[in-house]
Amino acid sequence: GEDSRSFHVSIQAPLSTVSIGETYSITAVAGGQLILECPEDAVPPPHIEWHREGSPLQEDARRQVLAGGRFLQIQALGAADGGEYSCRATNALGDTSLRVQVEVHG
């Protein structure tokens, strides 16, 4: 007879560090929608936190964190939404962060 088995193998990989020390700049249009992505393909999946101007981001009707932190969606953009946004992804193997400077133009 035949005996077959299948195994699920999970490889631990550190977070990508290509963006450390870099600040990306994005220009958005007032009244529009902005989606920022925190690239995380690490194993185990990291814990992701979003900050705005160095303070933890407060979600509300217009600002929502999606997909477990991977995306930050801001709707009905206004000039007050401009500034520096950052995400920090942390897992057992380390952490990485990404900074995005957002400018909103009317």
Side-chain angles (χ1 to χ4, degrees):
E2 288 187 19
D3 187 14
S4 66
R5 291 182 185 158
S6 62
F7 296 94
H8 176 74
V9 179
S10 176
I11 310 275
Q12 288 204 338
L15 294 152
S16 61
T17 55
V18 292
S19 57
I20 283 191
E22 290 185 45
T23 300
Y24 296 91
S25 184
I26 291 179
T27 301
V29 179
Q33 171 180 280
L34 177 67
I35 295 180
L36 302 177
E37 180 180 2
C38 191
E40 59 83 10
D41 49 8
V43 178
H47 169 72
I48 299 176
E49 293 177 350
W50 284 92
H51 292 78
R52 180 176 180 274
E53 298 293 342
S55 299
L57 183 84
Q58 300 298 316
E59 288 186 72
D60 55 33
R62 295 189 310 110
R63 296 188 291 196
Q64 294 182 309
V65 176
L66 309 172
R70 181 160 188 173
F71 298 99
L72 171 62
Q73 174 181 283
I74 306 171
Q75 297 175 314
L77 283 166
D81 291 312
E84 184 183 89
Y85 291 82
S86 60
C87 70
R88 182 184 180 108
T90 307
N91 72 7
L93 300 176
D95 66 77
T96 187
S97 59
L98 172 72
R99 289 196 304 272
V100 181
Q101 188 70 35
V102 176
E103 285 186 41
V104 179
H105 292 276

